[in-house]
Amino acid sequence: MKQISRMFILVFVVCFALIYLVNYMNRSEGYSGNNTLTIYNWGDYIDPELIERFESETGIKVIYQTFDSNEAMMTKIKQGGTTFDISIPSEYALDKMKAEGLLLPIDHNQLPNLKNIDPNFLDLSFDPNNEYSIPYFWGTVGVVYNPELVGDLTFESWDDLWNEQLDNKVFLLDGAREVIGMGLNSLGYSLNDTNEEHLQEALKKLSQLTPNVKAIVGDEIKMLMANEEAAAALVWSGDAREIMDENEKLDYIVPSEGSNLWFDNIVIPSTARNIEGAHQFINFMLDPEVAAQNTDYVGYSTPNDAALELLDEEISSDERFYPDEELTSRLEVYENLGPRMLSHYNELFLEFKMHRK
């Protein structure tokens, strides 16, 4: 009988230890409970001081993880091995996540600070009535360049990137939609074009850019441009501002043919455990002082009207990053082209990259 009792106690202890271990692993992998909040965001896309402040004000511990592409983020959320309470997809990824049931609706009644968002950034086509998303940052795609190294080129047209003066002096960011989109825009086509003839034209034109392309790179493009390793680069506007903060010689422009107007948005994934905490975090980020501090740190353009008033006028009136209506009318938001066409864009981009070798 004693032996049976000892075995029972041993089994109980082992089970208890396993439960503790699983809970510990879940917490470390991002599983959240009522007192933790797991955030899945782009790298270097929030002021770390604000996370500490949120933890201090709410008592909620934040577990923070990062991704480097919308595709990687969606795959991880879809697999469900790790649960996340907050994520920040771009508009075309958000559209896809909605269609695949990967998002929870947002309760606007829990977001009194939503009133601070500029109405022009609400109720957009990719999420009518902001049922699943709240604007976080927005921006453009354009050219950052060093006037001392590009001669008389101004990049008012995309075609300046093809100028023979720029032989081996151009960086491109590593993004299929951005690079193929630039090729399409330079020909006067939409960056959401799915016409195969137009896409092949864009690919042919991009192949002619090859002698000028020094490298196709990721986040390191900011350091490389600031260190004057090239004369010009295709970049997102927020990266351009960061580069220009590091090296005041450089300038940024969106070419006249048009470009991408993008939006990143806060969402609550369908696997969220701490939905109330997620709403607390979203409302916290919508506070004017918080949003202004985050804008100063990240460098991208804020949709928060009240925060904009707190920024230095030098920043808020800079039309390179807060373009006027005339330029904005020539910008396009990426559409969700569907998995087959997005895969085709990726194939064309890969073909372009292989052509360089």
Side-chain angles (χ1 to χ4, degrees), residues 90-92 120-121 124 126 137-142 185 191-192 236-237 252 254 258-264 301 321-324 327-335:
S90 303
E91 70 292 318
Y92 73 92
N120 289 319
F121 294 102
L124 298 178
F126 54 84
F137 280 119
W138 66 278
T140 57
V141 171
N185 277 157
L191 49 70
N192 293 307
W236 291 297
S237 53
Y252 176 74
V254 177
S259 183
N260 171 229
L261 176 65
W262 55 262
F263 301 90
D264 286 341
S301 305
F321 302 106
Y322 292 91
D324 60 21
L327 174 59
T328 305
S329 67
R330 284 180 276 124
L331 303 177
E332 293 179 276
V333 176
Y334 288 136
E335 296 173 4

Side-chain angles (χ1 to χ4, degrees), residues 196-226:
E196 186 58 26
E197 207 172 298
H198 296 170
L199 289 170
Q200 291 301 326
E201 258 187 85
L203 181 62
K204 183 177 179 183
K205 183 163 182 181
L206 285 171
S207 71
Q208 295 164 357
L209 180 64
T210 298
N212 287 0
V213 179
K214 185 169 185 176
I216 299 173
V217 289
D219 278 347
E220 61 269 35
I221 202 167
K222 293 180 282 188
M223 177 193 68
L224 292 169
M225 282 304 296

Side-chain angles (χ1 to χ4, degrees), residues 3-13:
Q3 189 173 3
I4 293 175
S5 296
R6 280 198 296 271
M7 286 181 64
F8 177 79
I9 292 170
L10 180 62
V11 169
F12 176 81
V13 170

Side-chain angles (χ1 to χ4, degrees), residues 6 17 27 32-33 53 77 91 93 155 189 202-204 261 269 299:
R6 280 198 296 271
R27 286 197 301 275
S32 57
R53 179 174 159 186
I77 287 179
E91 70 292 318
F155 303 97
Y189 300 134
L203 181 62
K204 183 177 179 183
L261 176 65

